[in-house]
Amino acid sequence: MKKRLTAAACAAWMILTLIVPAGCGQAERSEQPENGQTQESVSLPGQEPEETEQDSSVVQEPEEAASETLTAGVYQYHLETAEKSWSASNGEEACTVALEYPVFEGESPAEAAINEYFQQWAEEKLAAYETSEFVQEALEMRESGEYTIPAYSDDYAVEEVTVAQGVISIRMDNYLYLGGAHGMPGRENHIFSEADGSQISLPELLSLSEDEINELARAAFLARIEEKHPEDGFFEDAAETISAKTDFISQSWLSREGVVFYTQPYEAGPYAAGFIEVTLTWEQLGL
């Protein structure tokens, strides 16, 4: 029987469930705790980071955060990154976080609402790392001096901005590294109304129930398994896994063609297969 999860993969999923928004964090900080064990620094785009001789963290300068102007439908946007790093008392870097997010350049209510959402998203996510096992474990390992693995990291990148069916969809991919041969990839998708920037769920967009969406996605995956695409690398019991799966909505994103559903690495295929995807077109979904 194939080995589904390595120790690193298991740890990665546990950490991902722990890092959730927990209130607004500080936009800028550079300090040495009283116990002298860690150093940290954080800067959000548009704010000047404080320079200190003691701070060994690398902070992205605001002017470096803004990238070229990109286009999605009638909208223009650029990408900014909120970064933070933690170092041990000897100055050795223990872990880093980089959160890339879009900043829309127009003045419509929807664009203003989306920008406000992602500014808060970045602040709250950085604040959540403060007490996470991800950071605490990385610092403990560095302080012990017993490990020489690269620093832990969690990097988010905006991969898809899609305008379709009256919504703006933003897919963000992340890569969580906790030592070992490789890290674990992850995804999250956000859907906003073009009218006012409010968040919309997939069932609301499709006017279908969760059960109906799960049934459609499940059928598409089972059909692909039957077609036997070698590049997918499905496990022998992938059909059983898909038949029992009920969380297709949380593993989906929007393209111009339709809704893309995917399985996580190790879920229905090996790590090397990555995200195995099927697409249901807007026409297939009745739109």
Side-chain angles (χ1 to χ4, degrees), residues 21 35 80 165 183 248 269 273:
N35 59 18
E80 296 187 1
Q165 303 298 327
F248 290 100

Side-chain angles (χ1 to χ4, degrees), residues 63 66 76 85 103 106 116 164 167 172 182 192 220 237 276-277:
E63 57 268 24
Q76 291 187 321
S85 63
V103 177
E116 181 179 357
V167 300
M172 310 170 85
H182 59 72
F192 303 92
D237 61 350
I276 303 176
E277 300 179 333

